Amino acid sequence: FFSWADAMPGPFTHAARLAAARMSALAAGGGSALALYSPSSAEARCRGAPQTVTPATVEKHRVVVLGGGSAGLSVAAQLMRKLGKVNADVAIIEPGEYHYYRPGWTMAGAGIVPIERSRRPMEDVMPKGATWVKARASKLDPSRNRVVLDNGGVLEYEYLVLAPGMELDLSRIKGLQEALDAHDGVYTIWSYNQAAHVWDGIRNLTSGVALFTQPKQSRGCGGAPQKIMWLAEDFWRTKTLVRDAVHVEFVTGRDALFPIPKYAKSLADIGAERGVYVDYDTELVAVDGPRRLATFQQPSGMRVTRHFDLLVVTPHMGPPAIVRDSPLAAGNGFADVDIHTLQHAKYPRVFALGDCANLPTSKTAAAITAQAPVVVFNILASMGKKGFSETAGQERIADRGKPLSLARYDGYSSSPILTRRGGLILAEFKYGGGGKETFP
């Protein structure tokens, strides 16, 4: 998905954002334009071989990007294109062997696509000309413009882009890790290795109680926890015809199915029509896999234990330790950036986007398509570069020979909520819960 957005020629304007929303919807629905990775892709191979930074040595780069996910690679690719391969000098810190397209895990869990199509070797997606530092960052030192690596090597930067994503915190639900490891009827779509097993649980269920959960402070895509539920319900109703024998229930820690009332009502109406029970303001706190028991806590503090035959859990998530334990973190552990310029509140040479940024909007791939051009523009503006006017999801004052004003991100995000195979609600919105629909 990020590579499609980065390849856009010319200004990344409203039309491109519209196309991004459409691609997001098509990808979510498994359509012909599916933005998942295909083994037969004709894209160039071996874009970037990893580089090792020698322990106790210092390397200097113009821009250092922390994270090789969609956010980090989008910014890196756009900077390479704007500055040119010779002048860009962009280094990407990423220890992983693979790049993952996380929205694909929902579709794999629902049996729509093979899980293997949600990842690609990291070397295949590295922007041409960028330096891939295959290492793990162990410390951020913004007062010295440095990133310390796990082997003791150091990268110095003029500008730092934080995009390491989020981390799952399975420990906040007692027994969840053990139940997932044992596959005791307990599943999650929130990791590559676990998502592959969700489809087994769904297709093999012929009767009983199917529970799908979402914590109140769910940090990922707001629609993802229900997508897998709607798709499972659709499968039991239209494919295996066992729906009448399966009790389907969505248990959420929130007081609505979606933060935007318009979409929440539509989803609630669909649930009522299809006999899906929704339990609000209720948190999953413990799982006993072998006994097939799930314990939930209500706002009053009262706990209720329920039997299940299938339990699909959305775990708690939080900022990665590298950001949370650094001077760059806000009080909640996410990167403390201005919500519009995406520039750090204290260190102006640091920017953040994607899941690690402390932004009051849904953390989605669509949000990244709007955030990445803002970060790129503002880095270039900080460098004093002229003539870069492409923007997305932002307001922009034209440069008329005066110092470049920073681009502004308006909080645009979207969540394609699949309610059945071949059907979805595309929720599009911006800061404050206002709608920003680009898909007619």
Side-chain angles (χ1 to χ4, degrees):
F1 188 78
F2 75 86
S3 59
W4 170 84
D6 293 341
M8 290 291 293
F12 197 92
T13 57
H14 171 81
R17 199 166 61 248
L18 171 59
R22 287 174 172 166
M23 179 63 80
S24 178
L26 285 168
S32 59
L34 189 63
L36 297 182
Y37 306 136
S38 170
S40 60
S41 173
E43 292 189 17
R45 299 294 178 186
C46 300
R47 286 175 174 267
Q51 172 181 314
T52 301
V53 177
T54 306
T57 62
V58 178
E59 283 192 5
K60 297 182 178 181
H61 293 277
R62 197 172 192 186
V63 180
V64 170
V65 177
L66 179 59
S70 296
L73 295 186
S74 291
V75 169
Q78 292 177 40
L79 283 172
M80 295 297 298
R81 187 168 66 246
K82 303 304 179 187
L83 291 171
K85 296 176 184 177
V86 175
N87 297 321
D89 188 18
V90 175
I92 303 168
I93 303 173
E94 172 53 57
E97 294 283 350
Y98 293 96
H99 173 89
Y100 295 95
Y101 180 70
R102 193 170 64 190
W105 296 344
T106 302
M107 291 176 277
I112 295 175
V113 297
I115 189 66
E116 292 79 14
R117 289 189 62 191
S118 69
R119 75 177 185 180
R120 179 179 290 179
M122 189 64 68
E123 64 179 1
D124 289 359
V125 298
M126 279 288 158
K128 290 182 179 180
T131 299
W132 174 20
V133 179
K134 190 178 180 183
R136 192 174 301 277
S138 61
K139 180 182 179 182
L140 302 178
D141 186 359
S143 63
R144 302 174 67 189
N145 293 348
R146 286 185 162 199
V147 178
V148 181
L149 305 178
D150 56 1
N151 68 353
V154 173
L155 295 185
E156 290 188 345
Y157 58 82
E158 292 182 27
Y159 294 91
L160 174 65
V161 177
L162 297 176
M166 285 191 297
E167 292 180 353
L168 299 182
D169 187 358
L170 302 181
S171 65
R172 292 183 61 182
I173 300 175
K174 184 179 178 181
L176 178 57
Q177 180 70 73
E178 295 79 4
L180 289 172
D181 291 343
H183 306 301
D184 288 321
V186 182
Y187 306 93
T188 185
I189 60 169
W190 290 92
S191 79
Y192 179 86
N193 291 331
Q194 292 290 342
H197 298 286
V198 178
W199 175 231
D200 293 333
I202 290 174
R203 65 180 174 177
N204 291 328
L205 186 69
T206 58
S207 65
V209 176
L211 304 179
F212 300 80
T213 75
Q214 176 187 34
K216 182 176 182 178
Q217 297 298 329
S218 177
R219 300 287 186 177
C221 173
Q226 355 178 358
K227 291 179 194 178
I228 188 63
M229 183 221 21
W230 295 122
L231 291 171
E233 191 277 339
D234 178 69
F235 177 77
W236 295 322
R237 181 166 44 84
T238 65
K239 302 299 182 182
T240 57
L241 307 180
V242 299
R243 178 64 179 87
D244 289 344
V246 178
H247 171 80
V248 181
E249 184 171 339
F250 187 67
V251 186
T252 175
R254 300 180 177 184
D255 60 3
L257 282 173
F258 204 79
I260 314 301
K262 171 184 176 180
Y263 302 123
K265 182 180 184 305
S266 296
L267 291 165
D269 290 345
I270 293 172
E273 178 184 344
R274 287 160 56 174
V276 172
Y277 183 78
V278 181
D279 196 359
Y280 298 102
D281 297 311
T282 303
E283 292 266 8
L284 177 66
V285 295
V287 176
D288 184 338
R291 298 170 64 195
R292 301 290 178 96
L293 297 175
T295 300
F296 298 92
Q297 181 168 308
Q298 299 173 343
S300 64
M302 183 177 72
R303 294 194 171 191
V304 178
T305 298
R306 302 272 309 277
H307 166 78
F308 64 84
D309 295 283
L310 174 77
L311 177 65
V312 181
V313 179
T314 297
H316 293 274
M317 305 171 202
I322 186 64
V323 175
R324 183 185 65 237
D325 300 334
S326 78
L328 299 173
N332 61 2
F334 289 90
D336 187 14
V337 295
D338 182 279
I339 67 171
H340 296 294
T341 66
L342 309 183
Q343 187 174 38
H344 195 269
K346 181 178 179 181
Y347 299 96
R349 291 181 176 272
V350 178
F351 295 81
L353 75 162
D355 293 353
C356 79
N358 190 27
L359 304 175
T361 193
S362 188
K363 299 179 183 296
T364 67
I368 291 171
T369 67
Q371 294 167 12
V374 173
V375 170
V376 170
F377 183 95
N378 290 343
I379 289 176
L380 296 174
S382 298
M383 290 178 176
K385 301 296 179 182
K386 305 289 184 178
F388 299 96
S389 60
E390 52 271 64
T391 61
Q394 66 206 43
E395 300 170 0
R396 167 76 179 116
I397 301 175
D399 174 35
R400 303 182 186 280
K402 300 178 182 180
L404 286 174
S405 58
L406 296 183
R408 293 171 61 82
Y409 170 59
D410 64 4
Y412 174 81
S413 186
S414 75
S415 179
I417 307 171
L418 284 87
T419 56
R420 59 181 174 83
R421 282 163 173 74
L424 59 81
I425 292 176
L426 180 59
E428 295 183 277
F429 45 91
K430 59 182 180 179
Y431 286 144
K436 191 168 185 178
E437 296 179 346
T438 61
F439 197 79

